[in-house]
Amino acid sequence: MNIFITGVTGYIGSHTSVELLNSGYNIIGLDNFSNSKREVLDKIKEITGKDIKFYEGDMLDSNILDKIFTENNIDMVIDFAAFKAVGDSVQRPIDYYINNVSSVLTLLKTMKKYNVKNLIFSSSATVYGTPEYCPITEEFPIGNTTNPYGTSKLYVEGILKDLYTSDNSWNICIFRYFNPVGAHESGIIGEDPNGIPANLMPFITKVATGELPILSVFGNDYDTSDGTGIRDYIHIVDLAKAHINGIKKLASSNGGLFIYNLGTGKGYSVLEMVNAFQKVNNVKVNYKIVGRREGDIAECYADSSKANKELGWKTSKTLEDMCKDAYNYAIKNKDNFKNK
Ligand code: NAD
Ligand code: UFG
């Protein structure tokens, strides 16, 4: 089966590519390297021994999409290409809406033109806004997003629903990811954010390697067990594997709109993450408590039983695996990070 993956060299795209190649799928990939590097392609080959048929270009460019759909017999599309930094999206809303919404319209138009109607779309737990309680099921109301990034995902979900209503032969799977962390156990690919990381795990990792001096813990006065924010961290390889289940689900369906949360169902606080990281890796992570970060919520974790039941997918990696693999990747690639 030929799977077209946009954003193929990014964090989730690269790990998903490894799992798909190892399971025998052919991959045609697109990326413009706005948040990744070409060398990721070599790293994917190093792990799997297999090549991706790669196109460098922008998903906003219908010409490159035409070329890809003309030159390849595409069965299914997985769309990862997007900007994803919450704070940045507040500063650059137009760029985010163009890159995260307009590009999807370009993709959908092209898919329609070539009669390819199987799509897996990367959405986010942010579409739930501030959840009234946890765990969050797919039936929770979505909306009231607090930043343009989250709103861009909400809009695309709305577009996909309208598309499916207009034509029930579309076969669409929306995955709402919770907090992917960690790296491939080889340490060859992982999360490689540009500049100072905004997310917790890459920040902890850089403090542990000595690249950053101290972690700021954003608030210890939330209504949680230790006062710090709780999230559903999921190992990137568990998340990547879910896409195989998604492909199988779509392959066995003649049309449908399927929505799944992807998380572990267990929440950990910031301090639990710091402590686990220190213990597993036997390394010190300096931290200080500071005020809350604007827009943060107290807790957010998934009820992923729908994906467990309907897709036959479940996570197998532990919090210890997440911490160990994140640090292993950081140590192995420390010089790369320093060049940034
Ligand atoms: P990433 O930035 O590592 O990967 C995205 C890739 O897409 C990058 O390689 C980037 O260069 C590419 N790209 C961006 N815009 C493009 C365009 N217009 N044309 C071609 N390539 C383009 O991000 P990620 O963490 O791998 O996230 C993948 C998807 O999952 C995104 O849609 C993101 O919003 C979503 N998501 C991520 C998280 C997370 O915490 N990582 C959580 C929820 C949802
Ligand atoms: N945190 C800190 N210090 C830091 C960074 C984060 O204390 O330096 C805390 C936050 O306050 C929060 C927790 O760690 O309590 C997790 O924060 P992240 O920034 O790692 O993750 P978020 O849950 O805020 O958001 C992430 C992605 C979004 C995605 C969402 C999905 O940034 O893009 O997960 O749930 F949509």
Side-chain angles (χ1 to χ4, degrees):
M1 195 185 279
N2 295 326
I3 315 282
F4 172 42
I5 301 186
T6 74
V8 73
T9 46
Y11 177 45
I12 304 177
S14 57
H15 289 81
T16 301
S17 296
V18 165
E19 298 308 318
L20 263 56
L21 289 170
N22 282 340
S23 299
Y25 294 98
N26 297 322
I27 299 179
I28 297 98
L30 172 75
D31 209 293
N32 63 1
F33 300 123
S34 56
N35 197 34
S36 59
K37 291 190 192 136
R38 182 181 290 280
E39 69 193 43
V40 171
L41 294 167
D42 300 329
K43 293 177 167 196
I44 293 170
K45 176 144 196 198
E46 190 183 337
I47 299 172
T48 62
K50 293 179 184 163
D51 278 314
I52 284 172
K53 185 167 178 195
F54 181 73
Y55 293 80
E56 180 174 353
D58 200 301
M59 201 167 96
L60 283 157
D61 175 5
S62 59
N63 293 326
I64 186 112
L65 293 182
D66 268 329
K67 189 171 158 57
I68 291 168
F69 278 79
T70 308
E71 290 180 359
N72 302 281
N73 197 1
I74 292 168
D75 297 300
M76 211 174 275
V77 178
I78 305 181
D79 179 25
F80 292 118
F83 293 153
K84 64 166 179 177
V86 171
D88 189 36
S89 78
V90 177
Q91 304 305 318
R92 302 196 294 134
I94 295 174
D95 294 341
Y96 271 70
Y97 287 122
I98 291 175
N99 203 51
N100 293 7
V101 183
S102 303
S103 68
V104 177
L105 291 170
T106 310
L107 174 69
L108 293 173
K109 219 174 146 187
T110 310
M111 289 176 69
K112 188 166 182 228
K113 184 172 167 186
Y114 293 91
N115 200 29
V116 177
K117 293 183 175 175
N118 298 310
L119 172 71
I120 297 178
F121 176 70
S122 301
S123 189
S124 165
T126 46
V127 298
Y128 294 112
T130 306
E132 271 174 31
Y133 58 91
C134 289
I136 301 169
T137 66
E138 290 82 357
E139 282 68 43
F140 267 41
I142 58 172
N144 292 323
T145 43
T146 51
N147 54 73
Y149 167 71
T151 309
S152 75
K153 294 291 173 187
L154 191 70
Y155 287 167
V156 173
E157 286 205 10
I159 290 166
L160 294 176
K161 281 170 201 160
D162 288 344
L163 181 63
Y164 177 68
T165 304
S166 76
D167 174 359
N168 286 178
S169 67
W170 276 88
N171 213 10
I172 299 169
C173 173
I174 296 174
F175 278 143
R176 294 179 181 150
Y177 307 145
F178 281 66
N179 291 52
V181 294
H184 190 263
E185 64 180 4
S186 64
I188 295 172
I189 54 170
E191 189 172 16
D192 203 354
N194 289 320
I196 296 179
N199 296 117
L200 181 64
M201 183 62 106
F203 206 110
I204 290 178
T205 308
K206 280 186 188 258
V207 173
T209 58
E211 290 161 83
L212 290 170
I214 191 160
L215 168 76
S216 294
V217 175
F218 299 137
N220 66 348
D221 57 351
Y222 286 105
D223 186 15
T224 61
S225 50
D226 62 19
T228 65
I230 288 179
R231 295 291 182 277
D232 188 336
Y233 299 94
I234 171 168
H235 195 292
I236 184 67
V237 172
D238 277 335
L239 185 89
K241 285 182 173 161
H243 296 79
I244 297 176
N245 301 70
I247 291 170
K248 288 182 178 158
K249 174 78 185 175
L250 293 186
S252 67
S253 157
N254 291 323
L257 179 66
F258 310 99
I259 302 177
Y260 300 104
N261 287 337
L262 295 184
T264 63
K266 174 138 183 57
Y268 290 102
S269 75
V270 176
L271 291 182
E272 282 173 328
M273 294 300 286
V274 171
N275 290 334
F277 195 98
Q278 296 189 122
K279 195 170 163 207
V280 170
N281 296 310
N282 194 21
V283 64
K284 177 99 186 115
V285 177
N286 293 317
Y287 71 87
K288 61 180 177 189
I289 308 288
V290 301
R292 293 182 179 192
R293 180 171 66 179
E294 206 183 323
D296 269 355
I297 53 180
E299 65 175 358
C300 172
Y301 57 93
D303 179 334
S304 288
S305 53
K306 188 178 173 202
N308 302 157
K309 265 192 233 117
E310 291 187 14
L311 299 180
W313 167 83
K314 61 179 182 9
T315 57
S316 62
K317 304 268 189 186
T318 62
L319 177 60
E320 286 68 31
D321 296 327
M322 301 179 207
C323 295
K324 178 168 60 68
D325 293 337
Y327 192 52
N328 178 42
Y329 175 72
I331 296 290
K332 284 199 169 144
N333 296 275
K334 204 172 162 192
D335 292 339
N336 267 350
F337 287 155
K338 272 199 176 143
N339 292 337
K340 291 198 167 174

